[in-house]
Amino acid sequence: MVTAVALRLAAQRRAVDEVLAPLRLSRDDLVKVQALMREEMERGLGKETNASASVRMLPTYVNHTPDGTEKGDFLALDLGGTNFRVLVVGWERSPQHCPTLGHAHHAHYPQLFDHIIDCIIDFQTKQNLVTQMLPLGFTFSFPCQQVGLDKALLLTWTKGFSASGCVGQDVVQLLRDAAKRKRVGNHLGMQVVALVNDTVGTMMACGYDDPKCEIGLIVGTGTNACYMEEMKNVGTVEGDQGRMCINMEWGAFGDNGCLDHIFTHFDTVVDETTINPGKQRFEKLISGMYLGEIVRQILLVMTEKELLFQGKPSPKLQTKDIFKTKVGVSEHQVRSQIRTIMNELELDASFEDCVLMREVCQTVSLRAAQLCAAGLAAVVEKMRENRGLDQLSVTVGVDGTLYKLHPCFSTNLQTTLKDLAPNCNVTFMLSEDGSGKGAALVAAVQCRKGCSPLQMW
Ligand code: BG6
Ligand code: GLC
């Protein structure tokens, strides 16, 4: 009897390991991902190779991190993650947020930008700011081809956004046009001064408190990084002097097939059910928007193999996106809590199911953190080499719900990074007030240089 049980458990263990094996990456796998990321970075920076690189390495026209002398009150708009926020930022006062105003994912573009302006006006009215012409920094968390700080052509939507009519257009102009359409009464308007990616806003916000912060990282709904690159290496912009912040758009790493060897059956199925199949392949291995779906696909296969739920899948398990972050982060919770979550989802889970469920979550989130570390290792090693240093000390400004809320993501990321980039001493700094403060800082520097009247409205 005992032997039969032991044999059954051993067979079950083997079957579980077989399902999870493709998701378990070796150190060699990660070293290879790091090397591939480095190759794609070089291709993205090269004038001739940029068009075919999966990592776009987009110039941001941000040449300096903050120096602490930035002053004034600014409006900041933050669109693109879980939340959409308008806030007023002043260096003498704490940022004030407006309530989260909901998503406008699938609007047509005039409605999307009209909605944004309505929210700004509403906020200004509530804050008694209508009669002031405040400069505005706009965090727009999507890939844009910038031709200046205040001209940014949207390359594509990501993270499930799909507002029509925007791709190829200058997002700053769309916002200014909407502001003109909505101008009413004594409302003095706003001055859209700078548009930045959320990675850049995060780096700048953290850079205000720590001058060593020269990298921005987001691990939330999506994932991406930016860092300060030497101008002489940026083949896509004229000039050789100083540095420029590069928005890597690393979420698209692998879209040219270079990561095909690590994609599993589960990743392929998840990718195929998104609104942008074949795109943002690295992001779909790492960020919060997709991890729950990867977990669900694994559970479906395990149920089919009778390793879970006694082989009887609840119809709920067939529902896309039932696993939100709260299940994705359940790996540290005690089994009774996992069981409660499962019951809420009408999944009749036994004690053994909960144990297995936790292992699945751990495997998926560990892989995500390790891949993120491999990407970051390529960045810090490149910065170290750029500067001819034996040892680099650098701070990464980080934001994003997955990084902030997941119980082990940050530890796994940091441990793997230490291993892959041993000559870099990397400190992680959480962005406290979001990236809006960073966008306002960029606007502040721009205003110090003098904003042209054309930038009004
Ligand atoms: C916020 C930043 O704190 O984090 C945003 O202000 C950013 O700019 C966001 O996009 C990323 O996290 P998430 O989890 O909302 O995608
Ligand atoms: C997506 C966007 C990118 C953004 C990231 C994190 O990858 O394309 O611009 O920085 O999500 O929000």
Side-chain angles (χ1 to χ4, degrees):
M1 171 73 173
V2 174
T3 323
V5 170
L7 282 176
R8 186 178 62 79
L9 288 178
Q12 186 169 11
R13 184 70 253 167
R14 272 196 305 279
V16 167
D17 284 340
E18 213 169 279
V19 175
L20 295 180
L23 294 139
R24 294 185 168 134
L25 300 175
S26 66
R27 189 175 188 281
D28 282 353
D29 292 328
L30 296 172
V31 168
K32 190 164 172 202
V33 172
Q34 177 180 348
L36 285 167
M37 177 68 92
R38 175 62 187 263
E39 266 174 42
E40 288 296 294
M41 288 171 75
E42 302 289 358
R43 281 156 49 77
L45 288 171
K47 192 174 178 175
E48 310 301 329
T49 45
N50 172 270
S52 62
S54 67
V55 180
R56 294 298 304 272
M57 304 296 280
L58 300 167
T60 64
Y61 294 86
V62 171
N63 297 104
H64 299 280
T65 48
D67 64 6
T69 61
E70 297 79 9
K71 294 268 173 292
D73 282 349
F74 292 84
L75 277 177
L77 189 62
D78 185 354
L79 174 78
T82 314
N83 301 311
F84 165 42
R85 302 190 193 97
V86 185
L87 55 154
V88 60
V89 183
W91 315 127
E92 268 77 56
R93 50 178 167 158
S94 326
Q96 292 179 58
H97 298 246
C98 74
T100 294
L101 294 159
H103 296 288
H105 282 202
H106 303 289
H108 187 60
Y109 84 85
Q111 285 95 41
L112 173 63
F113 287 87
D114 285 353
H115 172 69
I116 292 173
I117 294 293
D118 283 341
C119 296
I120 298 174
I121 294 176
D122 185 48
F123 176 68
Q124 285 182 302
T125 310
K126 286 186 184 142
Q127 300 281 331
N128 274 331
L129 292 170
V130 272
T131 52
Q132 291 180 45
M133 167 77 79
L134 288 183
L136 183 143
F138 184 7
T139 305
F140 184 71
S141 311
F142 300 95
C144 289
Q145 186 79 56
Q146 291 202 229
V147 269
L149 267 181
D150 67 342
K151 194 168 170 59
L153 310 178
L154 176 63
L155 291 169
T156 178
W157 287 116
T158 51
K159 299 181 286 194
F161 262 75
S162 65
S164 60
C166 302
V167 171
Q169 301 228 47
D170 174 8
V171 179
V172 174
Q173 196 53 49
L174 294 180
L175 192 63
R176 287 180 183 153
D177 290 347
K180 266 189 215 142
R181 281 197 295 277
K182 296 268 169 179
R183 193 172 189 172
V184 280
N186 64 347
H187 184 259
L188 264 181
M190 63 211 71
Q191 187 185 11
V192 189
V193 175
L195 178 142
V196 297
N197 187 257
D198 53 355
T199 53
V200 182
T202 300
M203 179 189 81
M204 295 296 285
C206 294
Y208 191 71
D209 297 318
D210 178 353
K212 276 197 184 154
C213 182
E214 294 186 87
I215 301 176
L217 171 70
I218 301 283
V219 195
T221 314
T223 182
N224 190 14
C226 72
Y227 72 103
M228 297 304 289
E229 177 58 273
E230 312 304 311
M231 273 298 284
K232 64 178 185 320
N233 295 338
V234 186
T236 48
V237 179
E238 293 296 313
D240 275 350
Q241 297 305 309
R243 295 184 177 139
M244 183 179 282
C245 178
I246 297 294
N247 165 18
M248 294 177 68
E249 284 298 328
W250 82 8
F253 177 37
D255 289 5
N256 58 357
C258 70
L259 289 182
D260 282 1
H261 62 286
I262 61 162
F263 296 138
T264 65
H265 157 78
F266 312 111
D267 302 314
T268 307
V269 176
V270 170
D271 175 48
E272 280 165 359
T273 58
T274 58
I275 63 166
N276 54 350
K279 305 278 184 226
Q280 301 292 109
R281 297 303 307 270
F282 192 55
E283 179 159 87
K284 287 173 186 167
L285 303 176
I286 296 176
S287 74
M289 186 160 175
Y290 307 99
L291 294 194
E293 270 301 280
I294 300 176
V295 166
R296 189 176 72 85
Q297 290 303 331
I298 299 169
L299 299 188
L300 277 171
V301 167
M302 287 187 164
T303 311
E304 211 176 275
K305 291 183 182 289
E306 302 191 359
L307 298 167
L308 263 177
F309 309 129
Q310 299 176 312
K312 294 179 218 129
S314 133
K316 265 282 173 111
L317 203 55
Q318 309 288 342
T319 317
K320 189 167 182 271
D321 291 330
I322 49 156
F323 290 128
K324 298 285 179 207
T325 324
K326 91 169 169 183
V327 177
V329 302
S330 64
E331 66 186 58
H332 238 47
Q333 291 172 328
V334 291
R335 280 177 289 270
S336 61
Q337 284 170 310
I338 299 184
R339 202 161 186 178
T340 310
I341 295 171
M342 300 297 266
N343 288 343
E344 273 169 24
L345 291 171
E346 294 164 40
L347 297 171
D348 187 14
S350 67
F351 172 84
E352 287 77 16
D353 291 338
C354 292
V355 175
L356 191 48
M357 165 85 191
R358 187 158 70 162
E359 185 176 352
V360 170
C361 291
Q362 272 166 352
T363 308
V364 171
S365 78
L366 174 64
R367 181 183 69 151
Q370 289 175 329
L371 287 169
C372 188
L376 211 47
V379 175
V380 292
E381 272 298 298
K382 182 166 196 327
M383 289 175 83
R384 188 182 66 76
E385 286 172 31
N386 281 347
R387 297 171 191 198
L389 298 170
D390 292 333
Q391 198 74 34
L392 173 80
S393 254
V394 70
T395 298
V396 181
V398 206
D399 208 339
T401 33
L402 183 64
Y403 186 92
K404 281 182 167 168
L405 300 181
H406 193 283
C408 351
F409 190 93
S410 60
T411 312
N412 288 336
L413 168 64
Q414 290 172 34
T415 314
T416 312
L417 180 62
K418 254 199 196 101
D419 180 41
L420 296 176
N423 296 322
C424 299
N425 177 17
V426 185
T427 306
F428 286 78
M429 180 175 183
L430 269 185
S431 161
E432 283 181 9
D433 298 315
S435 63
K437 180 179 171 183
L441 278 164
V442 175
V445 173
Q446 188 63 3
C447 281
R448 206 163 50 197
K449 290 187 194 156
C451 308
S452 93
L454 282 177
Q455 286 167 327
M456 310 294 178
W457 285 100

